[in-house]
Amino acid sequence: MYTGNKDTKLYIVGLSFEKANQQIRNKYSITKEKTTDLLAEAKANDLQSIVVLSTCNRTEIFGFVPHPYIIIELLCKHSKGSVDDLMKYVYIYKQDEAADHIFEVAAGIKSQVLGDYEIISQLKNAAKLSKQFGVLDGYMGRLLDFVIQSSKEIKNQTTISGGTTSTSYAGVQYVKEKFAKLNGIKITVLGAGDIGKSTLKNLIQYTDCENIKLINRTKEKAIELAKESNEIIVGDYDNLKTELEDQDILFACSSASEHIIRTEHMPSGNLTIIDLSLPNNVDGIVEELPQIDLVILDDLSSVTDSTLELRKLEIPKATKIIETHKEEYTKWLSHRQYTPVIHGLQETLKTIQEAEVKVATKNNPELADFANQMSEKMIQKITNRFALHLKNEPEMANQSIAVIKEVFNINLE
């Protein structure tokens, strides 16, 4: 796994639903505000590449660093968890194993709900933010390009993302199973971000509910989103208790970093709350109220549908697609690692060119331009042929590079 810097390697440090329950994941979730602080610190410390992926099912940071402890420190500094606790749940992947992990996460193979396709938009947003802060170099950017393309092909060429493929869909499945019918049931969605949008889409597409209320801290955003369907009305966040008083179901999907739904907001009547947020939007103490049925993300892991076994059969197909894109990325890397020596050869030949042209045209300076043009074409042909040789004869590449470096005294340190 060539990174363009001999002192760095690709590392992933993270924790997920596989080993850490939701309470633990809450501690290590990183808000958008904290993510920007973390990336700014990474930039100030001249880190090559850092990407923060913090979702409801996992928090992980990956990048090119000299040692994984650099990432561990960043993760704990910008979350609410300690290093000691993290080590009980953490996974650390290095180089090729790390690249494999990113491909599988993006494909939904390692999701709490198999085939979850929401992760790819979260990964794209994470990469975009890293690029804005100048901590997404060409090597990481190219890796994520292959990862995203692989995920897209898996979605288009397999059925691994059919059926229950997101936590929001699983939440909708839960209420469909609990209530005999949703027609006439009053449902509120709190949050107009990605999870909120997905929940609205699933409610409209997979239920007969005709009474959906959308509440968002920024009301203008809710109003804009509500224009997409006649079934959505907009509620008032500042009057949350009043808005929830006559509701039957609440989907909590906000990206708030603290509990925004507390006991004082609870209605007197029965209310089923599906908390899809991480950290949790809902204060867990509300579960003690007899009229409240609180469901959190980990509760939804048992919600499946009839397509689950069929989707499991698609994993080998998805893995084969991943392998194809990994091979392409490996080829790209092998070509990139030849670039320094090719540039070194080019610069050495130019030095020779300048000296030889100067001597050859000493008595005829008017020929200098012509001599430079001809010799530059020769230099380009020589370096192009060398590059083509490295590409077409990879098994001889290391030996050829060693010879060129020795003959032309090329020092890449």
Side-chain angles (χ1 to χ4, degrees):
M1 178 62 67
Y2 182 68
T3 68
N5 183 339
K6 64 182 180 63
D7 296 322
T8 66
K9 293 179 173 61
L10 174 61
Y11 285 101
I12 292 178
V13 174
L15 73 169
S16 75
F17 69 94
E18 293 177 299
K19 196 173 179 181
N21 63 30
Q22 191 165 348
Q23 184 179 6
I24 298 299
R25 300 201 305 276
N26 272 337
K27 291 183 180 180
Y28 293 96
S29 66
I30 303 177
T31 64
K32 187 172 183 179
E33 292 76 14
K34 287 293 185 180
T35 298
T36 58
D37 292 341
L38 188 155
L39 295 176
E41 182 176 342
K43 177 65 175 177
N45 290 332
D46 296 323
L47 296 184
Q48 184 176 341
S49 269
I50 290 291
V51 178
V52 180
L53 185 63
S54 187
T55 74
C56 55
N57 293 326
R58 68 181 66 250
T59 296
E60 56 187 42
I61 302 175
F62 49 91
F64 296 123
V65 294
H67 194 279
Y69 196 76
I70 293 173
I71 297 178
I72 292 172
E73 285 188 319
L74 286 172
L75 172 55
C76 294
K77 180 177 179 179
H78 295 279
S79 68
K80 297 177 181 179
S82 67
V83 174
D84 289 342
D85 284 343
L86 177 66
M87 301 316 292
K88 301 174 186 176
Y89 308 99
V90 73
Y91 48 78
I92 300 175
Y93 298 125
K94 176 182 176 182
Q95 295 288 76
D96 290 341
E97 190 179 21
D100 291 346
H101 176 79
I102 298 172
F103 273 100
E104 290 174 356
V105 167
I109 293 175
K110 289 193 172 183
S111 296
Q112 191 169 23
V113 179
L114 179 63
D116 187 348
Y117 199 66
E118 288 178 349
I119 189 68
I120 198 63
S121 63
Q122 294 163 331
L123 183 60
K124 287 179 180 178
N125 290 337
K128 183 178 179 180
L129 193 58
S130 291
K131 188 173 183 179
Q132 289 175 2
F133 278 82
V135 286
L136 188 80
D137 71 354
Y139 293 93
M140 181 64 77
R142 194 68 174 130
L143 171 60
L144 294 182
D145 285 343
F146 280 104
V147 166
I148 291 167
Q149 183 60 34
S150 171
S151 176
K152 182 178 179 181
E153 285 190 23
I154 288 169
K155 180 171 175 60
N156 292 336
Q157 298 179 21
T158 76
T159 57
I160 197 171
S161 293
T164 307
T165 57
S166 70
T167 52
S168 60
Y169 186 98
V172 171
Q173 284 290 97
Y174 177 89
V175 297
K176 283 178 68 177
E177 292 172 7
K178 178 176 179 178
F179 295 84
K181 60 178 182 177
L182 293 180
N183 186 16
I185 297 295
K186 296 178 180 179
I187 300 178
T188 292
V189 175
L190 176 63
D194 290 341
I195 303 299
K197 290 177 183 177
S198 178
T199 301
L200 289 170
K201 178 181 177 181
N202 286 318
L203 283 170
I204 293 169
Q205 186 172 354
Y206 298 109
T207 75
D208 57 357
C209 181
E210 297 176 349
N211 193 331
I212 304 173
K213 183 187 295 183
L214 175 61
I215 299 176
N216 193 57
R217 286 176 291 180
T218 305
K219 194 170 185 177
E220 292 75 16
K221 189 174 182 180
I223 293 172
E224 189 63 28
L225 186 56
K227 292 178 182 179
E228 297 181 9
S229 173
N230 294 329
E231 290 147 346
I232 302 174
I233 61 172
V234 176
D236 187 1
Y237 178 81
D238 293 331
N239 295 308
L240 194 55
K241 179 173 175 56
T242 302
E243 296 286 0
L244 294 179
E245 187 57 43
D246 63 343
Q247 297 297 290
D248 300 298
I249 300 170
L250 168 64
F251 285 90
C253 312
S254 167
S255 60
S257 58
E258 69 285 330
H259 297 146
I260 58 174
I261 302 171
R262 300 179 292 276
T263 53
E264 60 263 33
H265 298 123
M266 293 299 96
S268 54
N270 293 334
L271 180 66
T272 297
I273 304 176
I274 313 294
D275 192 349
L276 299 177
S277 57
L278 196 81
N280 294 120
N281 285 171
V282 184
D283 189 341
I285 199 171
V286 306
E287 191 172 21
E288 298 177 9
L289 300 175
Q291 76 275 25
I292 302 301
D293 176 19
L294 176 61
V295 179
I296 61 174
L297 286 164
D298 286 353
D299 298 327
L300 297 175
S301 61
S302 61
V303 178
T304 60
D305 68 349
S306 59
T307 69
L308 178 59
E309 293 305 318
L310 293 175
R311 286 185 285 116
K312 285 182 178 179
L313 296 176
E314 294 292 277
I315 292 177
K317 294 181 185 178
T319 301
K320 188 173 182 179
I321 292 172
I322 288 174
E323 288 300 324
T324 299
H325 287 274
K326 279 168 52 183
E327 288 175 7
E328 290 299 316
Y329 180 61
T330 300
K331 289 179 182 178
W332 180 84
L333 278 180
S334 67
H335 297 160
R336 281 296 291 263
Q337 67 178 321
Y338 303 149
T339 301
V341 72
I342 292 172
H343 284 170
L345 173 61
Q346 198 169 40
E347 291 303 313
T348 300
L349 292 175
K350 284 184 177 180
T351 300
I352 295 172
Q353 171 203 25
E354 291 174 1
E356 291 300 319
V357 168
K358 187 175 182 180
V359 171
T361 61
K362 181 177 181 180
N363 297 324
N364 298 287
E366 67 277 3
L367 297 176
D369 287 344
F370 175 75
N372 277 321
Q373 290 177 12
M374 294 300 295
S375 55
E376 283 174 5
K377 288 182 180 179
M378 292 180 64
I379 290 172
Q380 192 62 49
K381 286 184 177 181
I382 291 170
T383 53
N384 284 347
R385 287 200 175 191
F386 182 53
L388 189 63
H389 163 71
L390 296 177
K391 178 180 178 180
N392 293 336
E393 306 290 343
E395 68 280 357
M396 297 177 59
N398 289 337
Q399 181 179 353
S400 299
I401 287 173
V403 170
I404 291 294
K405 288 168 69 175
E406 179 69 24
V407 170
F408 290 94
N409 193 27
I410 299 172
N411 184 5
L412 301 179
E413 297 299 322

